[in-house]
Amino acid sequence: MYFKRKRKPVFNSPSTPSRFLFYFKKMLKILNLTPSRIKDLLLIFSLFISIFLVFRHPQAPLPLATTVPFPSSTCRHHLFFSIACSSNSFPRRSSYIRLWYTPRATRAVAFLDQPVSSLVDPTLPPVMVSGDTKSFPYTFKGGLRSAIRVARVVKEAVERNETGIRWFVFGDDDTVFIVDNLVKVLSKYDHEKWFYVGSNSESYEQNLKYSFDMAFGGGGFAISYSLGKVLARVLDSCLMRYAHLYGSDARVWSCLAELGVGLTHERGFHQVDMRGNLFGMLTAHPLSPLVSLHHLDAMEPVFPNMSKTQALEHFFKAVNVDSSRILQQTVCYDRFNSLTVSVAWGYAIQFYEGNQLLPDLLSLQKTFSPWKRGANVGAHFMFNTREFPKDSCKRPLGFFLESVGSDKNVVWSIYTRYSDGNCVRTDAIKNLKEVKVVSQKLELDMEQQIMAPRRQCCEILPSYNESMVINIRKCGIDELISMNA
């Protein structure tokens, strides 16, 4: 049997706003209200309406701060190194490349002008022969057409379509990179935006001749992935317009200028447009991570009594222990003995008699000569310089790196005295033979030394004769680096 389900009665109840009006009118009839009370009730009624609208149409709460997801950290495998070489230079300069290139950890390719069968070496980057550039014009009188081939390395590197690349890095086969420092420097910048990172020449004349706004290719430069993809598409058209330029770096810079991109200067890239003894440059490095050194063939060995290659291998012993601190200059004072000590970590220590003001020690001693030779060549540099006495007895007493080691985050480096003949030294250092420097491993990211660098302080432990201990540490908030702090 079929039964109809009894339906529930439907009540004609008013909607919520109507219900408010109904009760409000009823209240006015029951209550004998004065005008002031009516005004108060109207205000209460307005509040009710506002509450109703908020709950009927809720608004999303305003954030306290806008946060942007931070990209994952840049690592070694995010960098792709393109090394400009020739079949003649690559075999004899391969020892430089081995200093910084690590198979399986460093992604790099050497671009040559022609194949060389004898270069199969697992300790060196793979070799790629550059494409033909005969169709491109080159009109610089006395220059080398290879500048076109080297410029096109940018295009050829990008077109390899390597995966996971954030930065394309370019340099020569006589350039050494401090790869970990370069990674940290490039981590400051967003690889998804257009960045052209490098530095100009140390020589004022070279910058004047070519450009103050160009990254000199020997010192190396980096191009973000997003910019590299665009540059590769338009580079060949630019090469047709700049036949009159001398080098490859000028061609790349000109094309980037047409794209509207300027150079982001980083002081750790070193073109090294200088010759001879680089002691003065290396002992007063700017307050930024060392990234590269170029023109190694034109410099003397950086350590005495060693060949050029041996000296660089010795230098990289310190690089491999604490790359962030390499060549960072720290100055401390022995007030009791009136000594000023300048430490270029991982390289050399100098002892000055008397009080030497810190700003004076930050200028470079002219131990080097200009890149261009000739009697009429200018010797103007892009940094402050001071004279280096010809008389060795008037120079500061020097110590060079002997060994370096570490235990967890504690690093020690030993420096031994370099013979300066029969010079008379003050009693405090006349018998000094060895200096030990103790420091914490310099973590640039933790200490914000890349974004907001600050020089560290040091102190000499008392009671020394033949051996001295120097401790490097972070400076106090208001601590001054001076003899009379």
Side-chain angles (χ1 to χ4, degrees):
M1 182 179 292
Y2 175 77
F3 294 95
K4 288 187 177 180
R5 181 176 292 179
K6 194 173 182 179
R7 299 178 64 185
K8 293 181 179 180
V10 178
F11 295 96
N12 294 323
S13 60
S15 63
T16 304
S18 300
R19 189 182 300 123
F20 278 125
L21 292 173
F22 172 76
Y23 286 117
F24 180 70
K25 290 178 181 179
K26 193 172 182 179
M27 288 173 62
L28 289 178
K29 290 180 181 180
I30 296 173
L31 300 174
N32 185 15
L33 299 176
T34 63
S36 62
R37 288 186 177 180
I38 293 174
K39 182 178 180 181
D40 292 338
L41 287 173
L42 288 172
L43 291 174
I44 295 172
F45 176 72
S46 299
L47 178 61
F48 287 156
I49 294 296
S50 299
I51 294 172
F52 165 74
L53 292 174
V54 167
F55 283 99
R56 183 75 177 271
H57 303 285
Q59 300 292 323
L62 293 175
L64 295 177
T66 303
T67 58
V68 178
F70 194 79
S72 59
S73 299
T74 298
C75 305
R76 269 182 174 244
H77 69 270
H78 291 132
L79 275 57
F80 184 82
F81 290 85
S82 300
I83 310 168
C85 319
S86 71
S87 56
N88 292 327
S89 66
F90 190 62
R92 57 186 172 84
R93 291 176 173 174
S94 59
S95 60
Y96 299 149
I97 298 172
R98 288 190 185 95
L99 291 169
W100 61 268
Y101 173 75
T102 306
R104 298 183 182 178
T106 312
R107 303 170 72 174
V109 168
F111 289 84
L112 272 68
D113 52 344
Q114 59 185 9
V116 179
S117 57
S118 61
L119 289 182
V120 179
D121 188 336
T123 66
L124 293 173
V127 170
M128 179 175 175
V129 177
S130 298
D132 186 17
T133 59
K134 293 179 180 177
S135 61
F136 295 95
Y138 186 85
T139 59
F140 190 94
K141 187 177 181 180
L144 299 174
R145 280 191 58 87
S146 59
I148 301 172
R149 179 185 70 84
V150 174
R152 289 193 84 251
V153 164
V154 175
K155 177 181 177 67
E156 292 171 341
V158 173
E159 290 180 345
R160 287 177 61 89
N161 291 319
E162 300 277 346
T163 59
I165 300 299
R166 294 186 178 183
W167 295 92
F168 297 100
V169 183
F170 303 92
D172 292 348
D173 53 5
D174 62 340
T175 304
V176 293
F177 289 100
I178 314 299
V179 179
D180 288 338
N181 285 358
L182 179 55
V183 169
K184 293 170 185 174
V185 168
L186 295 179
S187 295
K188 295 194 298 183
Y189 307 105
D190 186 350
H191 61 279
E192 294 182 353
K193 297 179 181 178
W194 289 9
F195 277 106
Y196 165 49
V197 184
S199 189
N200 47 26
S201 172
E202 296 85 358
S203 167
Y204 173 83
E205 284 79 13
Q206 291 290 92
N207 292 322
L208 187 65
K209 182 176 182 180
Y210 297 109
S211 176
F212 286 87
D213 298 319
M214 179 186 81
F216 278 64
F221 59 90
I223 294 176
S224 60
Y225 177 84
S226 55
L227 177 57
K229 296 293 285 187
V230 176
L231 179 60
R233 293 199 298 266
V234 301
L235 183 62
D236 282 351
S237 66
C238 294
L239 294 179
M240 301 300 293
R241 285 189 291 281
Y242 294 102
H244 61 286
L245 297 179
Y246 168 70
S248 60
D249 43 13
R251 286 167 165 76
V252 173
W253 168 69
S254 297
C255 198
L256 288 170
E258 290 190 359
L259 285 172
V261 179
L263 175 63
T264 299
H265 288 262
E266 281 290 345
R267 301 177 71 192
F269 290 89
H270 294 288
Q271 172 72 9
V272 194
D273 278 341
M274 299 174 283
R275 295 182 184 275
N277 187 352
L278 295 187
F279 178 83
M281 171 187 166
L282 300 180
T283 52
H285 191 270
L287 191 58
S288 57
L290 173 67
V291 170
S292 68
L293 291 170
H294 181 228
H295 279 150
L296 302 177
D297 287 343
M299 67 171 67
E300 297 175 5
V302 294
F303 288 101
N305 305 320
M306 295 184 186
S307 68
K308 197 172 298 183
T309 301
Q310 288 173 335
L312 288 170
E313 290 173 347
H314 189 59
F315 180 73
F316 265 78
K317 292 177 183 178
V319 169
N320 294 333
V321 170
D322 193 352
S323 64
S324 298
R325 196 181 289 279
I326 191 70
L327 293 186
Q328 291 303 292
Q329 185 183 14
T330 307
V331 176
C332 50
Y333 296 89
D334 182 344
R335 298 174 179 83
F336 181 78
N337 292 301
S338 189
L339 291 175
T340 302
V341 184
S342 177
V343 179
W345 191 90
Y347 178 53
I349 299 176
Q350 298 176 85
F351 285 82
Y352 296 83
E353 298 179 16
N355 181 20
Q356 301 291 322
L357 298 174
L358 178 61
D360 296 335
L361 298 181
L362 301 183
S363 59
L364 279 64
Q365 300 169 93
K366 289 198 293 185
T367 61
F368 40 80
S369 57
W371 177 249
K372 293 291 185 180
R373 296 186 176 97
N376 298 323
V377 173
H380 305 103
F381 299 100
M382 298 294 293
F383 42 73
N384 296 322
T385 61
R386 54 193 169 106
E387 293 302 318
F388 187 67
K390 294 182 179 179
D391 184 351
S392 61
C393 293
K394 293 181 180 180
R395 300 171 187 169
L397 176 62
F399 289 68
F400 284 96
L401 178 73
E402 177 69 23
S403 61
V404 60
S406 66
D407 182 10
K408 295 182 179 179
N409 286 331
V410 178
V411 179
W412 61 87
S413 49
I414 308 297
Y415 305 77
T416 54
R417 184 169 181 158
Y418 177 65
S419 176
D420 56 355
N422 297 320
C423 301
V424 178
R425 300 293 181 180
T426 184
D427 290 344
I429 57 174
K430 68 179 182 180
N431 296 322
L432 190 61
K433 297 180 180 178
E434 179 184 277
V435 180
K436 181 178 182 179
V437 176
V438 181
S439 58
Q440 294 285 324
K441 190 169 183 179
L442 188 58
E443 298 291 347
L444 294 181
D445 294 337
M446 292 175 59
E447 300 186 11
Q448 298 182 344
Q449 288 284 335
I450 293 181
M451 299 298 292
R454 184 187 181 191
R455 196 176 305 278
Q456 293 203 325
C457 291
C458 62
E459 53 201 4
I460 301 170
L461 273 62
S463 182
Y464 57 85
N465 183 19
E466 294 186 354
S467 180
M468 175 186 287
V469 177
I470 296 176
N471 179 48
I472 296 180
R473 56 172 175 77
K474 292 176 64 175
C475 297
I477 293 177
D478 56 357
E479 183 175 2
L480 299 175
I481 304 175
S482 68
M483 185 167 286
N484 300 308

